Amino acid sequence: MNTIITLLTQYGFLGIMIAAFCEAIFLPVPMEVISLPIYLAKPKMALLYAVILILFSTMGSIIGYWIAKLFGNLVRRRLVDSKYLRKLQTWYDRNAFLAILTSSFTPVPYEAYVLSAGLLAVNFRQFLVGSIISRLLRHLPQGILLYFFGDTIASYSEWYTIIVAVVITLFIVFKYVYSKKKEQANSV
């Protein structure tokens, strides 16, 4: 794996394109392992690299979704326990958009969300919008920060991910509590 990462980081634009596209389907390492060294090699290109990463990650997400939707049942019966799929389906049924939106900030690899969304036939529009926004929230600020501050800010990029994850979690909790209170008020 280290050889692949080294190779991708040496190729700059092409490395970002390939890694971002593959990340959404089968690349088991966080994109930052590849993108941050490329950003740091040319900080004034970091914003453009981030935009390219977002575009190619979104394209990879679309391809991964459709591969799983069209061919996932062939693999599903052999590799995935149906009880896990039912739990996942319930989760997507509750709020597919929010599940995909938060996918960039969980320890679960992004490709697991992409492939499961296709396999379970999540509404494609919700999937696409959630994917684009999650990619933007995760990768664009890193490009912006590295563009303006270079390697002085690089050590703080993991904190950004943690902060965004906490904010999204708080939003989800607030939305849940609000909806429960609204249900209680309507039932009285």
Side-chain angles (χ1 to χ4, degrees):
M1 185 56 74
N2 286 338
T3 306
I4 294 170
I5 292 170
T6 302
L7 186 64
L8 290 171
T9 53
Q10 288 175 352
Y11 282 101
F13 275 115
L14 185 59
I16 287 274
M17 290 176 197
I18 293 168
F21 186 85
C22 294
E23 179 225 9
I25 305 169
F26 60 83
L27 192 64
V29 296
M31 264 309 297
E32 287 79 5
V33 172
I34 297 163
S35 63
L36 289 179
I38 294 172
Y39 294 173
L40 290 170
K42 294 182 182 176
K44 290 301 173 193
M45 299 291 288
L47 186 56
L48 180 58
Y49 284 145
V51 170
I52 289 169
L53 186 156
I54 293 162
L55 290 172
F56 277 81
S57 181
T58 301
M59 286 190 284
S61 300
I62 293 167
I63 299 298
Y65 174 94
W66 286 105
I67 288 171
K69 186 169 183 170
L70 297 173
F71 304 108
N73 283 327
L74 300 173
V75 179
R76 175 171 110 176
R77 291 183 201 111
R78 291 190 177 138
L79 298 178
V80 183
D81 187 342
S82 61
K83 80 175 182 182
Y84 295 117
L85 284 177
R86 283 192 301 274
K87 284 182 184 178
L88 205 52
Q89 184 71 60
T90 302
W91 189 43
Y92 280 132
D93 288 345
R94 274 190 261 153
N95 198 333
F97 171 76
L98 197 56
I100 299 299
L101 178 65
T102 58
S103 64
S104 286
F105 305 99
T106 69
V108 177
Y110 178 64
E111 63 268 16
Y113 287 88
V114 170
L115 298 174
S116 64
L119 180 66
L120 297 171
V122 167
N123 177 286
F124 182 72
R125 186 174 181 196
Q126 287 183 347
F127 167 78
L128 183 60
V129 172
S131 292
I132 292 169
I133 294 172
S134 76
R135 307 284 79 200
L136 283 167
L137 288 173
R138 178 154 186 160
H139 298 293
L140 190 60
Q142 293 170 359
I144 291 169
L145 290 173
L146 288 167
Y147 174 82
F148 286 108
F149 302 108
D151 56 357
T152 57
I153 198 75
S155 62
Y156 298 104
S157 67
E158 69 184 47
W159 284 104
Y160 167 77
T161 302
I162 293 168
I163 291 168
V164 171
V166 168
V167 168
I168 289 174
T169 302
L170 289 173
F171 172 76
I172 293 168
V173 169
F174 175 76
K175 184 178 176 191
Y176 176 78
V177 169
Y178 177 77
S179 66
K180 288 296 181 186
K181 287 188 181 215
K182 192 174 178 181
E183 281 178 21
Q184 288 174 350
N186 288 340
S187 66
V188 173

